[in-house]
Amino acid sequence: MSWFVWIFLTTMAGSALGHPTMDVARPYKPTQPCLAPLQWEGRSVQYNHNTGRNTRADMSYDAKNQRLRILEQHKKHTPCQKYFEFIFLFQSGLMFQIETKTQQCSKTTLTGPWDPYDIPSNSTFEDQYFIGGPGDVLEVQEWSDRKPARKHEAWVGVYTLKDCYPVQETYTLNSSVSTSTRFFDLQLGISDPSVFVPPPTCQSASPHRLEEEGC
């Protein structure tokens, strides 16, 4: 997800308790990761480890057409904070940023390639476990980009074992970019494709990013 790190990235480090009915020592290691859904909607919370800021949002994800829509959720206790809708259209190479209160819009060029929410085929299997404690049934697998020649992982992803939905992802690209994202309430498919269509105000969009602070 290198194209997404600068605006709205990723995970909470995966920690969980083993399910009491399962043997802690897994008898196998999967040779290939699961295939994540190509289209889904849901919610997310992104924590930026450098700024200490949490960003909650509604998400619509369309890997078939390389589109992503993010609608930040308002928090009443931050009166000076502006909130935005982001529409990423990778086949067109464009990102729209819309201020939700004024509908002011900016249109900028995407500089990175489409990088989907999935587990790359060359990922390293790290672990398989149940999230939570006794009675919980959400089983997940944890994968990373760890390689023998590199000391630390730059990406760790946790995905559900049953349907391969993203649960959490962690990115540490360099000393200035370290983020965590949790995903929840996911639903398969796109209920309203029009969320990927920029509003009319974007016809006269500014070519510069909009400022995020309101006062």
Side-chain angles (χ1 to χ4, degrees):
M1 301 290 297
S2 57
W3 50 270
F4 198 34
V5 173
W6 61 282
I7 187 75
F8 192 87
L9 278 180
T10 58
T11 54
M12 180 178 71
S15 61
L17 299 175
H19 194 283
T21 61
M22 302 296 290
D23 189 352
V24 174
R26 294 283 173 179
Y28 72 96
K29 291 177 63 175
T31 58
Q32 290 291 325
C34 58
L35 298 177
L38 296 178
Q39 293 180 321
W40 50 261
E41 296 176 321
R43 296 194 291 154
S44 67
V45 178
Q46 177 244 336
Y47 176 69
N48 187 310
H49 296 264
N50 304 98
T51 65
R53 178 185 172 188
N54 279 297
T55 302
R56 297 179 178 273
D58 296 320
M59 296 183 64
S60 298
Y61 169 77
D62 179 13
K64 291 182 178 180
N65 300 292
Q66 298 183 358
R67 303 183 297 184
L68 182 68
R69 183 254 195 170
I70 297 166
L71 178 62
E72 293 183 349
Q73 296 177 355
H74 290 248
K75 289 183 270 187
K76 294 181 180 179
H77 58 277
T78 53
C80 292
Q81 181 66 48
K82 293 182 179 180
Y83 295 90
F84 297 94
E85 176 182 7
F86 296 93
I87 300 174
F88 296 83
L89 304 175
F90 277 84
Q91 291 183 352
S92 301
L94 296 173
M95 185 201 77
F96 294 89
Q97 178 192 17
I98 304 101
E99 205 274 307
T100 55
K101 184 176 181 180
T102 65
Q103 289 297 292
Q104 184 180 3
C105 180
S106 75
K107 180 174 68 173
T108 55
T109 300
L110 291 169
T111 58
W114 168 259
D115 194 352
Y117 281 115
D118 65 3
I119 309 170
S121 59
N122 62 346
S123 298
T124 299
F125 175 75
E126 298 290 353
D127 204 355
Q128 182 170 316
Y129 47 80
F130 286 86
I131 291 180
D136 295 327
V137 295
L138 181 60
E139 190 170 11
V140 298
Q141 286 186 347
E142 183 177 302
W143 296 78
S144 78
D145 65 350
R146 178 172 56 87
K147 299 294 182 288
R150 186 167 56 222
K151 185 176 181 181
H152 299 295
E153 303 92 343
W155 168 81
V156 177
V158 179
Y159 283 71
T160 60
L161 181 65
K162 181 177 181 292
D163 295 312
C164 206
Y165 282 107
V167 176
Q168 52 198 23
E169 287 194 346
T170 301
Y171 282 87
T172 306
L173 295 189
N174 52 51
S175 59
S176 63
V177 179
S178 181
T179 52
S180 299
T181 302
R182 293 177 290 135
F183 305 89
F184 47 94
D185 292 344
L186 301 190
Q187 299 287 334
L188 190 63
I190 302 297
S191 61
D192 182 10
S194 69
V195 298
F196 299 107
V197 179
T201 54
C202 289
Q203 292 181 1
S204 58
S206 166
H208 306 289
R209 285 282 307 278
L210 302 177
E211 294 184 2
E212 296 188 9
E213 297 298 329
C215 57

